[in-house]
Every structure is written in structure tokens, then in C-alpha cells.
Amino acid sequence: MPMASYGRALSALHPTFATIFHSLEEGLEEAQRYHTEMLYRRSDDPHLFLHLARRRACAVLEREGLSARQVDETAALNLSGILIHHQGFAVRVLHAQHEGGREVEIPVPGSSKPRQDFWRQASAIPDLETDNLLLLWGDDGGVLTDPLTLVRPLGGDNLKANLRVEWRGKISREMAKLRAEDLVDLEPDWQAEELA
């Protein structure tokens, strides 16, 4: 499969933008509501907050007709991410680590073989070719941050120095209001020099 450009990926995924933003917002609202009702502090168990948010977001995505599922390679933590399939793209929706306006940190796949395979563009759907992307989201006190970050990984392991990425660009809420064909020629915020 040829490498997907940032613009081509935006154009193909355009119909999903509003639903993705809405699903993550609804997930964050539900996680916040649960913590408030139970008098829990997010800082005491930050994983619980994000698990609740992802679980609700995945339910909303499915309700809206997107092929989405919660993913992780370990049965004990099956809510660590969301995988969306749309028009030949496999998009792992992951909570990103960032603070105070700093650049979103692209996660490494770690020692997980399935995650390493996804990062190096092995098909995420048996018997079908996929173009694998990461969609990184964050929140500030339970409020979804805008924009999200779309990344096309090319490989990696548990060392940040070994992370390989083709490009990284933004998806803003405003892009959902544009026409898909208007997004095709957009350039990413960053692209690997040898691929530019």
C-alpha cells in the first residue's frame, strides 16, 4: 500500500471528525460525573478515569456507526485504547502525554509485538491492507483539548530513540466543517526529511 499523505488521510477520515470529538467529550463527561458522584480524585487512580472515558467514547462511536473497538494486547487492560477502521485506515486513538502547551509526545509501542507491528504498518485487519495511524488526544481537567494530533508511525520499540514517524499534523474541530476535498492538499506540521 502506498504511504498515505497527511492530506489524503484527513480527506478520507473527514466524515469521522465530528463523531470522534463528540465521543471523546462524552467519555470525559461521564468519567468526570462518575468521579464526582463517587467523591474520587482522578489523581488517586488516573487509569480508571481514562478507562471510563474510553469505554464511553467507544460506545458512542459504535452507536454512530463507526467500526470501533477497545484494544490492548493484554486481557487485564482491555481499555487502553480505541481502534477505528475507516476506508482502509486503522486508527489507534490514544490519550497523549503533554503539559502546559508543550508539543504532544508521540508514544512508543514499547515491548508489545502487536503494537510494534501496528507502528511499523503491518495490517491491523486480518487479510486486508490497512494504513495505520495514531490519533492522540488530551484533556485539561476533564475537558478535551483541541486540536487532536494525527501521526503516521513507521516503527519503534521501547526506546524513544528508535521511534520512526513519517508525519505529524493536527485535526481541529473546525476541520469537520470543511469539505473533505479541501483537506487533501494540507501539509502536516512535521514530516520526516527523507520522505518530504
Side-chain angles (χ1 to χ4, degrees), residues 33-169:
R33 186 171 40 253
Y34 178 82
H35 277 64
T36 300
E37 289 172 5
M38 299 301 292
L39 302 176
Y40 289 164
R41 290 184 309 196
R42 179 176 177 175
S43 59
D44 289 343
D45 186 355
H47 298 290
L48 174 62
F49 186 91
L50 293 176
H51 287 335
L52 291 169
R54 281 187 289 263
R55 184 170 190 166
R56 181 64 186 155
C58 197
V60 171
L61 290 166
E62 288 283 350
R63 181 185 73 210
E64 296 297 322
L66 282 174
S67 175
R69 63 186 175 92
Q70 301 159 29
V71 294
D72 194 298
E73 294 72 43
T74 62
L77 293 172
N78 64 350
L79 298 175
S80 75
I82 299 169
L83 181 63
I84 298 172
H85 297 128
H86 186 77
Q87 292 190 7
F89 288 91
V91 183
R92 283 186 86 126
V93 184
L94 301 170
H95 190 266
Q97 303 301 317
H98 60 90
E99 298 173 13
R102 282 193 356 223
E103 189 73 40
V104 170
E105 185 174 331
I106 300 170
V108 297
S111 58
S112 163
K113 174 96 168 82
R115 284 175 65 108
Q116 288 179 8
D117 288 347
F118 188 92
W119 263 244
R120 70 173 173 74
Q121 295 296 319
S123 179
I125 304 172
D127 303 320
L128 291 174
E129 285 190 35
T130 59
D131 209 327
N132 302 338
L133 302 174
L134 306 176
L135 183 59
L136 309 176
W137 64 279
D139 71 285
D140 183 7
V143 176
L144 184 65
T145 55
D146 182 7
L148 310 179
T149 301
L150 190 65
V151 177
R152 187 168 193 280
L154 295 176
D157 53 28
N158 58 346
L159 299 175
K160 185 134 182 88
N162 294 335
L163 178 65
R164 292 182 23 243
V165 172
E166 180 186 352
W167 49 256
R168 173 184 66 237

